[in-house]
Each structure stands twice: as structure tokens, then as C-alpha cells.
């Protein structure tokens, strides 16, 4: 009987430690986030840009160079789109369109990316600071790494094309 009580006590001590051990999905996501941060991608959990969003979602961001801000736009997958949104391509809808048309150099990488993105990718957005993807991290590191070239090409094509360029104030010369 004493051995049974000791066994139950040991199990009570060990069981919370087993809950702390990461499961296979957590290990895969941690490896992917580490690899993406090494590739220059910022990953953070944030509230997604949906009307009725609850909780947080992974947000992967490819920053624009500070001196070359990007345009403002948001594309959402048809599953997240309302009936009032304007269709773009391949089941994606504009939530916010850029004020200026996208450059021709950005059209091809954008279309290539939209056709290849995983089904759990919900939002592709751009703002002055970065190009971003909201998704549920369904793929492994090797598969998602295949998108890096497309994201980099799209970011480079959009860099330096902000919707609202900052006004440059002319410098006044010395007054006589």
C-alpha cells in the first residue's frame, strides 16, 4: 500500500512537468519563427485586421527600407471578405486599395504570391513600414521558405511607392 501512495505522489509531481513539454506543432512553429527571424522577417502575435477578430494571430512582416516606405493596401481572402469588397484575383478581395495603381513590376510577384499562398493565409497587407502576411502557420519551415523570394521581390517592387509621399520643404537660403 505504501508503494501505491508513493507512486501516486510521484505521478502528481511529474504530471505538471509533462504539460510544459512543447507538442510537435509548437516545436515546428518555433523552428519556423526562428528561421524567419534569421531571414529578416519580423514575426509577432497581434490582433488581425478583421471586424470581429477575437484573440491574436501570427503576423509575418517584411520591412521596407526606412527611406523607401511602401503603399497602403489590404487584401483579404474570400473566406474573410464581405459582399461589399471589390474582388482582386484568385479569391482575394481589396479591403483597402492603394491610392496609386501598383507598379507593373509588382503585379507579377503579387499574382505569383497570391496563387501560391497556403489556404490559411487570410490577409496580405502593406503599409509604410512593412509588407505583412496574417496566417495560421500551417506549413513547415522548408515549405514556407519557398515563399521568401516572392515576398522579397514584391517588397522590393513596392518599396519607395508610398500613397502619401512626405512633402519636401525647400530650404531657404541666407537672407541679405
Amino acid at each position: 500500500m505504501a508503494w501505491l501512495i508513493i507512486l501516486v505522489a510521484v505521478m502528481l509531481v511529474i504530471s505538471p512537468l509533462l504539460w510544459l513539454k512543447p507538442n510537435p506543432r509548437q516545436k515546428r512553429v518555433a523552428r519556423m519563427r526562428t528561421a524567419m527571424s534569421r531571414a529578416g522577417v519580423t514575426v509577432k502575435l497581434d490582433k488581425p485586421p478583421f471586424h470581429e477578430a477575437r484573440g491574436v494571430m501570427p503576423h509575418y512582416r517584411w520591412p521596407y527600407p526606412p527611406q523607401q516606405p511602401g503603399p497602403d493596401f489590404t487584401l483579404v481572402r474570400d473566406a474573410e471578405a464581405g459582399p461589399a469588397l471589390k474582388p482582386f484575383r484568385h479569391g482575394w478581395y481589396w479591403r483597402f486599395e492603394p491610392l496609386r495603381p501598383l507598379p507593373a513590376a509588382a503585379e507579377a510577384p503579387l499574382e505569383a504570391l497570391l496563387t501560391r499562398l497556403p489556404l490559411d493565409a487570410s490577409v496580405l497587407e502593406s503599409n509604410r513600414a512593412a509588407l505583412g502576411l496574417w496566417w495560421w502557420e500551417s506549413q513547415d519551415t522548408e515549405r514556407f521558405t519557398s515563399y521568401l523570394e516572392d515576398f522579397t521581390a514584391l517588397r522590393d517592387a513596392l518599396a519607395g511607392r508610398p500613397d502619401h509621399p512626405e512633402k519636401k520643404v525647400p530650404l531657404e537660403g541666407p537672407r541679405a
Side-chain angles (χ1 to χ4, degrees), residues 26 37 41 45 73 80 96 132 135 148 159:
Q26 291 169 329
S37 70
V41 179
L45 297 175
F73 68 81
E80 304 294 338
F96 300 111
W135 73 304
L148 288 179

Side-chain angles (χ1 to χ4, degrees), residues 92-114:
W92 290 84
Y93 291 78
W94 289 114
R95 181 160 179 215
F96 300 111
E97 281 188 79
L99 291 179
R100 298 188 294 163
L102 294 176
E107 288 284 333
L110 178 59
E111 285 193 38
L113 193 58
L114 292 178

Side-chain angles (χ1 to χ4, degrees), residues 26-120:
Q26 291 169 329
K27 289 178 185 177
R28 177 183 56 77
V29 167
R31 282 191 304 270
M32 182 166 49
R33 290 179 183 173
T34 301
M36 291 304 109
S37 70
R38 287 184 184 143
V41 179
T42 305
V43 181
K44 77 183 233 189
L45 297 175
D46 205 355
K47 185 177 177 187
F50 304 135
H51 287 293
E52 297 179 14
R54 295 184 183 144
V56 295
M57 185 175 191
H59 185 204
Y60 284 51
R61 296 175 48 131
W62 287 259
Y64 293 116
Q67 65 279 14
Q68 294 183 312
D72 294 324
F73 68 81
T74 302
L75 283 164
V76 296
R77 193 173 289 276
D78 54 359
E80 304 294 338
L85 298 183
K86 179 180 172 184
F88 180 59
R89 287 181 185 80
H90 310 293
W92 290 84
Y93 291 78
W94 289 114
R95 181 160 179 215
F96 300 111
E97 281 188 79
L99 291 179
R100 298 188 294 163
L102 294 176
E107 288 284 333
L110 178 59
E111 285 193 38
L113 193 58
L114 292 178
T115 58
R116 293 185 58 220
L117 284 175
L119 293 176
D120 65 337

Side-chain angles (χ1 to χ4, degrees), residues 1-44:
M1 183 67 171
W3 288 106
L4 182 60
I5 293 172
I6 292 171
L7 180 63
V8 169
V10 168
M11 292 303 291
L12 287 174
V13 169
I14 292 176
S15 64
L17 295 176
L18 294 176
W19 290 351
L20 297 175
K21 182 181 175 190
N23 64 33
R25 183 187 188 289
Q26 291 169 329
K27 289 178 185 177
R28 177 183 56 77
V29 167
R31 282 191 304 270
M32 182 166 49
R33 290 179 183 173
T34 301
M36 291 304 109
S37 70
R38 287 184 184 143
V41 179
T42 305
V43 181
K44 77 183 233 189

Side-chain angles (χ1 to χ4, degrees), residues 66-69 128 160 162 164-172:
Q67 65 279 14
Q68 294 183 312
R128 291 183 66 83
H164 303 285
E166 293 183 26
K167 295 178 183 175
K168 296 187 179 189
V169 178
L171 296 174
E172 294 183 294

